Amino acid sequence: MNSTTLLQRQFQMLNDAFHDIADDLTDIEWLRRAVPDTNLFGFILWHLPRTQDAIIHILIRGEASVVGAEPWMSRGGLATPGIGFGSTLAETDQLACSLQKTAVLEYADAVHQSILSWLSTLSADDLDLVPNLLAHAEQAGAPDLYPALRSTALDLEGRPVWGLLAGTCLSHLRAHLAELDLLKRILRGQVRSSE
């Protein structure tokens, strides 16, 4: 198995886990907080594809994000600038309330398909390239649209494509999926406190 095939499988597993958590959430659960001071499910589930979209399309590839085009621009808060990093709880709650679950799920699948298509064009040498993230953000027209991406780009600068994909787009998001799984089980009473 080559490295791009391995990455495609990892992204597929991530998308499958996303749907395992999100698909059966009710509209009430979408806007519930399972534990005080945690984000609403709707916000975290938006953050996952939004992070992939911004990191891969804008910062790695230097292209417009999936959400930057229709039909996504017109679907509630999907096109909210940034990836949610540094937002207050009130801001993330407001964003979650502006999102429809079906729109987030469809957007996540559109981002996923775009990533798989792009990965199928890459060689092992392409994965070793170190993209100029800030230049790519400018090239994609993102500095004014996504000011929060500047600090993200500075934090990630100097990493090869494979490192950006494995770290930010897979490991970071897997951690959020584990968080969501636990929060969902708490919300549904499937986890009992030891107190």
Side-chain angles (χ1 to χ4, degrees):
M1 175 184 327
N2 66 36
S3 50
T4 55
T5 301
L6 176 62
L7 284 167
Q8 286 176 309
R9 288 186 182 178
Q10 292 297 310
F11 277 99
Q12 185 61 56
M13 288 170 39
L14 189 74
N15 188 258
D16 292 345
F18 174 90
H19 280 286
D20 286 345
I21 289 166
D23 286 355
D24 73 339
L25 285 175
T26 67
D27 290 341
I28 292 170
E29 289 171 330
W30 182 258
L31 297 175
R32 290 283 308 272
R33 196 176 321 283
V35 175
D37 298 323
T38 58
N39 286 305
L40 302 175
F41 285 90
F43 170 77
I44 302 169
L45 288 163
W46 166 85
H47 170 71
L48 300 177
R50 190 69 188 95
T51 297
Q52 289 180 329
D53 195 7
I55 300 296
I56 293 172
H57 295 107
I58 294 172
L59 297 183
I60 294 176
R61 298 178 68 191
E63 297 182 356
S65 60
V66 170
V67 82
E70 292 300 340
W72 315 112
M73 290 291 294
S74 303
R75 297 195 65 187
L78 277 180
T80 297
I83 58 175
F85 180 75
S87 299
T88 66
L89 199 57
E91 290 168 338
T92 63
D93 286 357
Q94 182 179 10
L95 175 56
C97 291
S98 75
L99 299 167
Q100 292 183 344
K101 177 184 156 185
T102 55
V104 173
L105 298 181
E106 290 168 6
Y107 167 59
D109 287 339
V111 170
H112 175 65
Q113 289 305 314
S114 177
I115 292 167
L116 293 184
S117 294
W118 170 66
L119 284 171
S120 71
T121 69
L122 299 182
S123 68
D125 289 340
D126 293 329
L127 293 172
D128 285 331
L129 296 174
V130 177
N132 185 330
L133 305 179
L134 291 173
H136 283 179
E138 289 226 14
Q139 180 180 321
D144 297 320
L145 276 177
Y146 309 109
L149 286 183
R150 181 170 177 74
S151 65
T152 301
L154 289 171
D155 289 342
L156 300 174
E157 195 67 49
R159 297 182 189 181
V161 169
W162 70 263
L164 294 165
L165 295 176
T168 307
C169 296
L170 289 171
S171 296
H172 171 79
L173 300 186
R174 280 189 193 281
H176 277 303
L177 288 168
E179 168 195 17
L180 284 165
D181 179 59
L182 179 59
L183 291 173
K184 184 177 175 182
R185 290 188 295 125
I186 289 170
L187 185 66
R188 292 182 173 179
Q190 296 170 346
V191 174
R192 302 271 182 237
S193 172
S194 61
E195 298 174 6

